[in-house]
Amino acid sequence: MKDDYKFSKDLSKEFEFITSRSSGPGGQNVNKVNSKVELRFSVFDSNILSQEEKETIFKKLYHHINSQGILSVTAQTERSQVLNKEIAIQKFYQWIELALKPVKPRKKTRPTRASIEKRKTDKQELSKKKESRRKPDLQ
């Protein structure tokens, strides 16, 4: 991710990890090793985030936050629990950075004269094409 905004706070002290059996690759290894990792982070109970940051995260990542206010990130692509844990942490910070990245204000622009003329001529050509498809009026 090439963004100008980078999240600088270390939230790892407030992470909670839950492991379970993965449905991903691994053959017989899948049946006996807990390689799926779920990272849980309580957004509203965080002491590190400011109130504005908490509200912004909740608004933008609401579909990943449950009714108790816990943001959960899962990773199960790798066979190793350690690699899945690293992937979950990386994905978590990407989500947080994306949610807290300031929105660039839109500049209002007007269409150019050439683009307006082109749109009108395109509409006229399409209208003529459709008119030529009609059955003639026999009166």
Side-chain angles (χ1 to χ4, degrees):
M1 253 172 119
K2 294 182 180 178
D3 292 328
D4 296 334
Y5 182 81
K6 290 290 179 190
F7 193 71
S8 60
K9 297 178 183 178
D10 182 25
L11 301 173
S12 61
K13 296 171 188 153
E14 298 181 353
F15 289 165
E16 177 187 347
F17 293 99
I18 297 173
T19 59
S20 60
R21 292 203 173 105
S22 174
S23 62
Q28 292 176 348
N29 197 42
V30 167
N31 300 328
K32 54 188 177 178
V33 179
N34 291 336
S35 61
K36 177 180 177 180
V37 175
E38 182 180 356
L39 184 153
R40 290 184 172 192
F41 178 76
S42 181
V43 178
F44 290 116
D45 294 338
S46 175
N47 296 324
I48 300 171
L49 296 174
S50 68
Q51 191 61 32
E52 295 84 28
E53 289 173 332
K54 291 177 187 180
E55 290 172 3
T56 305
I57 289 170
F58 190 75
K59 285 178 189 174
K60 293 191 177 177
L61 299 175
Y62 69 93
H63 49 282
H64 295 287
I65 299 175
N66 66 14
S67 59
Q68 288 86 29
I70 296 174
L71 173 67
S72 64
V73 180
T74 59
Q76 61 179 355
T77 56
E78 301 296 326
R79 291 177 63 173
S80 165
Q81 187 182 100
V82 176
L83 289 175
N84 282 333
K85 187 175 180 180
E86 290 174 9
I87 291 170
I89 292 170
Q90 183 181 7
K91 193 188 296 188
F92 172 81
Y93 278 116
Q94 284 177 346
W95 285 358
I96 296 294
E97 286 174 16
L98 194 63
L100 295 178
K101 183 179 177 184
V103 179
K104 197 175 182 181
R106 182 186 177 276
K107 293 180 183 175
K108 291 184 178 178
T109 59
R110 293 186 63 193
T112 61
R113 185 177 296 157
S115 67
I116 292 171
E117 290 297 322
K118 184 180 181 324
R119 184 180 61 84
K120 287 181 181 179
T121 57
D122 289 347
K123 283 180 80 169
Q124 287 173 351
E125 287 175 17
L126 190 63
S127 174
K128 288 176 185 174
K129 185 194 303 182
K130 288 186 174 186
E131 191 176 336
S132 69
R133 292 180 190 154
R134 288 187 191 160
K135 291 182 182 178
D137 287 338
L138 300 175
Q139 291 185 19

PDB file of all heavy atoms in Angstrom, residues 39-58:
ATOM      1  N   LEU A  39      -7.598 -12.258  14.948  1.00  0.00           N
ATOM      2  CA  LEU A  39      -7.138 -11.147  15.760  1.00  0.00           C
ATOM      3  C   LEU A  39      -8.373 -10.362  16.188  1.00  0.00           C
ATOM      4  O   LEU A  39      -9.182  -9.981  15.351  1.00  0.00           O
ATOM      5  CB  LEU A  39      -6.201 -10.257  14.939  1.00  0.00           C
ATOM      6  CG  LEU A  39      -5.532  -9.082  15.624  1.00  0.00           C
ATOM      7  CD1 LEU A  39      -4.235  -8.773  14.917  1.00  0.00           C
ATOM      8  CD2 LEU A  39      -6.392  -7.854  15.644  1.00  0.00           C
ATOM      9  N   ARG A  40      -8.504 -10.138  17.478  1.00  0.00           N
ATOM     10  CA  ARG A  40      -9.634  -9.358  17.990  1.00  0.00           C
ATOM     11  C   ARG A  40      -9.105  -8.106  18.673  1.00  0.00           C
ATOM     12  O   ARG A  40      -8.133  -8.148  19.414  1.00  0.00           O
ATOM     13  CB  ARG A  40     -10.445 -10.178  18.986  1.00  0.00           C
ATOM     14  CG  ARG A  40     -11.199 -11.299  18.345  1.00  0.00           C
ATOM     15  CD  ARG A  40     -12.049 -12.003  19.341  1.00  0.00           C
ATOM     16  NE  ARG A  40     -12.905 -12.968  18.675  1.00  0.00           N
ATOM     17  CZ  ARG A  40     -13.919 -13.567  19.250  1.00  0.00           C
ATOM     18  NH1 ARG A  40     -14.204 -13.314  20.512  1.00  0.00           N
ATOM     19  NH2 ARG A  40     -14.650 -14.420  18.591  1.00  0.00           N
ATOM     20  N   PHE A  41      -9.801  -6.998  18.386  1.00  0.00           N
ATOM     21  CA  PHE A  41      -9.405  -5.710  18.934  1.00  0.00           C
ATOM     22  C   PHE A  41     -10.665  -4.960  19.341  1.00  0.00           C
ATOM     23  O   PHE A  41     -11.538  -4.711  18.515  1.00  0.00           O
ATOM     24  CB  PHE A  41      -8.627  -4.904  17.887  1.00  0.00           C
ATOM     25  CG  PHE A  41      -8.219  -3.540  18.350  1.00  0.00           C
ATOM     26  CD1 PHE A  41      -7.162  -3.367  19.215  1.00  0.00           C
ATOM     27  CD2 PHE A  41      -8.907  -2.419  17.915  1.00  0.00           C
ATOM     28  CE1 PHE A  41      -6.783  -2.102  19.632  1.00  0.00           C
ATOM     29  CE2 PHE A  41      -8.543  -1.153  18.324  1.00  0.00           C
ATOM     30  CZ  PHE A  41      -7.480  -1.004  19.185  1.00  0.00           C
ATOM     31  N   SER A  42     -10.750  -4.613  20.618  1.00  0.00           N
ATOM     32  CA  SER A  42     -11.909  -3.879  21.121  1.00  0.00           C
ATOM     33  C   SER A  42     -11.712  -2.396  20.829  1.00  0.00           C
ATOM     34  O   SER A  42     -10.870  -1.739  21.438  1.00  0.00           O
ATOM     35  CB  SER A  42     -12.084  -4.113  22.618  1.00  0.00           C
ATOM     36  OG  SER A  42     -13.217  -3.414  23.070  1.00  0.00           O
ATOM     37  N   VAL A  43     -12.500  -1.899  19.896  1.00  0.00           N
ATOM     38  CA  VAL A  43     -12.331  -0.517  19.439  1.00  0.00           C
ATOM     39  C   VAL A  43     -12.660   0.479  20.546  1.00  0.00           C
ATOM     40  O   VAL A  43     -11.873   1.383  20.833  1.00  0.00           O
ATOM     41  CB  VAL A  43     -13.215  -0.247  18.197  1.00  0.00           C
ATOM     42  CG1 VAL A  43     -13.092   1.196  17.744  1.00  0.00           C
ATOM     43  CG2 VAL A  43     -12.839  -1.177  17.057  1.00  0.00           C
ATOM     44  N   PHE A  44     -13.800   0.319  21.195  1.00  0.00           N
ATOM     45  CA  PHE A  44     -14.234   1.317  22.172  1.00  0.00           C
ATOM     46  C   PHE A  44     -13.511   1.195  23.515  1.00  0.00           C
ATOM     47  O   PHE A  44     -13.457   2.147  24.276  1.00  0.00           O
ATOM     48  CB  PHE A  44     -15.742   1.256  22.370  1.00  0.00           C
ATOM     49  CG  PHE A  44     -16.490   1.758  21.169  1.00  0.00           C
ATOM     50  CD1 PHE A  44     -17.304   0.916  20.437  1.00  0.00           C
ATOM     51  CD2 PHE A  44     -16.362   3.061  20.743  1.00  0.00           C
ATOM     52  CE1 PHE A  44     -17.978   1.372  19.322  1.00  0.00           C
ATOM     53  CE2 PHE A  44     -17.025   3.532  19.630  1.00  0.00           C
ATOM     54  CZ  PHE A  44     -17.839   2.684  18.925  1.00  0.00           C
ATOM     55  N   ASP A  45     -12.926   0.032  23.818  1.00  0.00           N
ATOM     56  CA  ASP A  45     -12.185  -0.126  25.077  1.00  0.00           C
ATOM     57  C   ASP A  45     -10.711   0.236  24.942  1.00  0.00           C
ATOM     58  O   ASP A  45      -9.963   0.121  25.910  1.00  0.00           O
ATOM     59  CB  ASP A  45     -12.305  -1.577  25.581  1.00  0.00           C
ATOM     60  CG  ASP A  45     -13.730  -1.912  25.978  1.00  0.00           C
ATOM     61  OD1 ASP A  45     -14.509  -0.976  26.258  1.00  0.00           O
ATOM     62  OD2 ASP A  45     -14.077  -3.113  26.008  1.00  0.00           O
ATOM     63  N   SER A  46     -10.301   0.675  23.775  1.00  0.00           N
ATOM     64  CA  SER A  46      -8.895   0.994  23.536  1.00  0.00           C
ATOM     65  C   SER A  46      -8.490   2.247  24.301  1.00  0.00           C
ATOM     66  O   SER A  46      -9.186   3.260  24.278  1.00  0.00           O
ATOM     67  CB  SER A  46      -8.647   1.201  22.046  1.00  0.00           C
ATOM     68  OG  SER A  46      -7.330   1.623  21.835  1.00  0.00           O
ATOM     69  N   ASN A  47      -7.331   2.169  24.966  1.00  0.00           N
ATOM     70  CA  ASN A  47      -6.790   3.321  25.685  1.00  0.00           C
ATOM     71  C   ASN A  47      -5.850   4.131  24.809  1.00  0.00           C
ATOM     72  O   ASN A  47      -5.470   5.244  25.156  1.00  0.00           O
ATOM     73  CB  ASN A  47      -6.038   2.864  26.944  1.00  0.00           C
ATOM     74  CG  ASN A  47      -6.963   2.198  27.931  1.00  0.00           C
ATOM     75  OD1 ASN A  47      -8.111   2.591  28.079  1.00  0.00           O
ATOM     76  ND2 ASN A  47      -6.468   1.170  28.595  1.00  0.00           N
ATOM     77  N   ILE A  48      -5.448   3.573  23.690  1.00  0.00           N
ATOM     78  CA  ILE A  48      -4.467   4.209  22.817  1.00  0.00           C
ATOM     79  C   ILE A  48      -5.126   5.140  21.806  1.00  0.00           C
ATOM     80  O   ILE A  48      -4.606   6.204  21.506  1.00  0.00           O
ATOM     81  CB  ILE A  48      -3.619   3.133  22.104  1.00  0.00           C
ATOM     82  CG1 ILE A  48      -2.883   2.293  23.156  1.00  0.00           C
ATOM     83  CG2 ILE A  48      -2.635   3.754  21.136  1.00  0.00           C
ATOM     84  CD1 ILE A  48      -2.198   1.068  22.606  1.00  0.00           C
ATOM     85  N   LEU A  49      -6.282   4.752  21.290  1.00  0.00           N
ATOM     86  CA  LEU A  49      -6.975   5.544  20.267  1.00  0.00           C
ATOM     87  C   LEU A  49      -7.733   6.708  20.882  1.00  0.00           C
ATOM     88  O   LEU A  49      -8.278   6.594  21.983  1.00  0.00           O
ATOM     89  CB  LEU A  49      -7.959   4.673  19.491  1.00  0.00           C
ATOM     90  CG  LEU A  49      -7.382   3.533  18.668  1.00  0.00           C
ATOM     91  CD1 LEU A  49      -8.507   2.683  18.098  1.00  0.00           C
ATOM     92  CD2 LEU A  49      -6.512   4.067  17.552  1.00  0.00           C
ATOM     93  N   SER A  50      -7.800   7.815  20.161  1.00  0.00           N
ATOM     94  CA  SER A  50      -8.603   8.957  20.599  1.00  0.00           C
ATOM     95  C   SER A  50     -10.075   8.682  20.281  1.00  0.00           C
ATOM     96  O   SER A  50     -10.390   7.775  19.504  1.00  0.00           O
ATOM     97  CB  SER A  50      -8.145  10.236  19.903  1.00  0.00           C
ATOM     98  OG  SER A  50      -8.454  10.172  18.527  1.00  0.00           O
ATOM     99  N   GLN A  51     -10.954   9.472  20.845  1.00  0.00           N
ATOM    100  CA  GLN A  51     -12.390   9.280  20.626  1.00  0.00           C
ATOM    101  C   GLN A  51     -12.758   9.484  19.158  1.00  0.00           C
ATOM    102  O   GLN A  51     -13.571   8.741  18.608  1.00  0.00           O
ATOM    103  CB  GLN A  51     -13.195  10.243  21.514  1.00  0.00           C
ATOM    104  CG  GLN A  51     -14.679   9.949  21.556  1.00  0.00           C
ATOM    105  CD  GLN A  51     -14.992   8.569  22.123  1.00  0.00           C
ATOM    106  OE1 GLN A  51     -14.284   8.055  22.990  1.00  0.00           O
ATOM    107  NE2 GLN A  51     -16.047   7.954  21.628  1.00  0.00           N
ATOM    108  N   GLU A  52     -12.145  10.467  18.501  1.00  0.00           N
ATOM    109  CA  GLU A  52     -12.422  10.717  17.088  1.00  0.00           C
ATOM    110  C   GLU A  52     -11.983   9.533  16.230  1.00  0.00           C
ATOM    111  O   GLU A  52     -12.678   9.136  15.290  1.00  0.00           O
ATOM    112  CB  GLU A  52     -11.719  11.991  16.597  1.00  0.00           C
ATOM    113  CG  GLU A  52     -12.198  13.268  17.243  1.00  0.00           C
ATOM    114  CD  GLU A  52     -11.522  13.545  18.576  1.00  0.00           C
ATOM    115  OE1 GLU A  52     -10.374  13.111  18.776  1.00  0.00           O
ATOM    116  OE2 GLU A  52     -12.160  14.177  19.438  1.00  0.00           O
ATOM    117  N   GLU A  53     -10.794   8.971  16.553  1.00  0.00           N
ATOM    118  CA  GLU A  53     -10.300   7.814  15.806  1.00  0.00           C
ATOM    119  C   GLU A  53     -11.215   6.612  15.990  1.00  0.00           C
ATOM    120  O   GLU A  53     -11.509   5.884  15.031  1.00  0.00           O
ATOM    121  CB  GLU A  53      -8.873   7.456  16.256  1.00  0.00           C
ATOM    122  CG  GLU A  53      -7.834   8.462  15.819  1.00  0.00           C
ATOM    123  CD  GLU A  53      -6.462   8.193  16.395  1.00  0.00           C
ATOM    124  OE1 GLU A  53      -6.363   7.601  17.498  1.00  0.00           O
ATOM    125  OE2 GLU A  53      -5.477   8.566  15.738  1.00  0.00           O
ATOM    126  N   LYS A  54     -11.693   6.403  17.201  1.00  0.00           N
ATOM    127  CA  LYS A  54     -12.617   5.287  17.475  1.00  0.00           C
ATOM    128  C   LYS A  54     -13.888   5.427  16.648  1.00  0.00           C
ATOM    129  O   LYS A  54     -14.368   4.459  16.046  1.00  0.00           O
ATOM    130  CB  LYS A  54     -12.973   5.244  18.966  1.00  0.00           C
ATOM    131  CG  LYS A  54     -11.838   4.843  19.858  1.00  0.00           C
ATOM    132  CD  LYS A  54     -12.273   4.900  21.312  1.00  0.00           C
ATOM    133  CE  LYS A  54     -11.111   4.667  22.257  1.00  0.00           C
ATOM    134  NZ  LYS A  54     -11.521   4.729  23.662  1.00  0.00           N
ATOM    135  N   GLU A  55     -14.450   6.632  16.617  1.00  0.00           N
ATOM    136  CA  GLU A  55     -15.684   6.855  15.869  1.00  0.00           C
ATOM    137  C   GLU A  55     -15.472   6.670  14.366  1.00  0.00           C
ATOM    138  O   GLU A  55     -16.296   6.084  13.679  1.00  0.00           O
ATOM    139  CB  GLU A  55     -16.228   8.260  16.166  1.00  0.00           C
ATOM    140  CG  GLU A  55     -16.762   8.404  17.569  1.00  0.00           C
ATOM    141  CD  GLU A  55     -17.120   9.837  17.931  1.00  0.00           C
ATOM    142  OE1 GLU A  55     -17.011  10.730  17.062  1.00  0.00           O
ATOM    143  OE2 GLU A  55     -17.515  10.057  19.086  1.00  0.00           O
ATOM    144  N   THR A  56     -14.341   7.156  13.865  1.00  0.00           N
ATOM    145  CA  THR A  56     -14.033   7.011  12.440  1.00  0.00           C
ATOM    146  C   THR A  56     -13.864   5.546  12.067  1.00  0.00           C
ATOM    147  O   THR A  56     -14.394   5.090  11.048  1.00  0.00           O
ATOM    148  CB  THR A  56     -12.742   7.786  12.094  1.00  0.00           C
ATOM    149  OG1 THR A  56     -12.900   9.138  12.496  1.00  0.00           O
ATOM    150  CG2 THR A  56     -12.460   7.724  10.609  1.00  0.00           C
ATOM    151  N   ILE A  57     -13.139   4.798  12.895  1.00  0.00           N
ATOM    152  CA  ILE A  57     -12.946   3.369  12.641  1.00  0.00           C
ATOM    153  C   ILE A  57     -14.286   2.653  12.668  1.00  0.00           C
ATOM    154  O   ILE A  57     -14.563   1.806  11.811  1.00  0.00           O
ATOM    155  CB  ILE A  57     -11.965   2.765  13.671  1.00  0.00           C
ATOM    156  CG1 ILE A  57     -10.555   3.272  13.406  1.00  0.00           C
ATOM    157  CG2 ILE A  57     -12.001   1.248  13.638  1.00  0.00           C
ATOM    158  CD1 ILE A  57      -9.559   2.940  14.489  1.00  0.00           C
ATOM    159  N   PHE A  58     -15.127   2.983  13.625  1.00  0.00           N
ATOM    160  CA  PHE A  58     -16.431   2.324  13.724  1.00  0.00           C
ATOM    161  C   PHE A  58     -17.298   2.631  12.497  1.00  0.00           C
ATOM    162  O   PHE A  58     -17.978   1.750  11.982  1.00  0.00           O
ATOM    163  CB  PHE A  58     -17.154   2.743  15.004  1.00  0.00           C
ATOM    164  CG  PHE A  58     -18.386   1.937  15.278  1.00  0.00           C
ATOM    165  CD1 PHE A  58     -18.286   0.645  15.758  1.00  0.00           C
ATOM    166  CD2 PHE A  58     -19.640   2.456  15.031  1.00  0.00           C
ATOM    167  CE1 PHE A  58     -19.417  -0.113  15.996  1.00  0.00           C
ATOM    168  CE2 PHE A  58     -20.776   1.708  15.260  1.00  0.00           C
ATOM    169  CZ  PHE A  58     -20.668   0.419  15.753  1.00  0.00           C
TER     170      PHE A  58
END
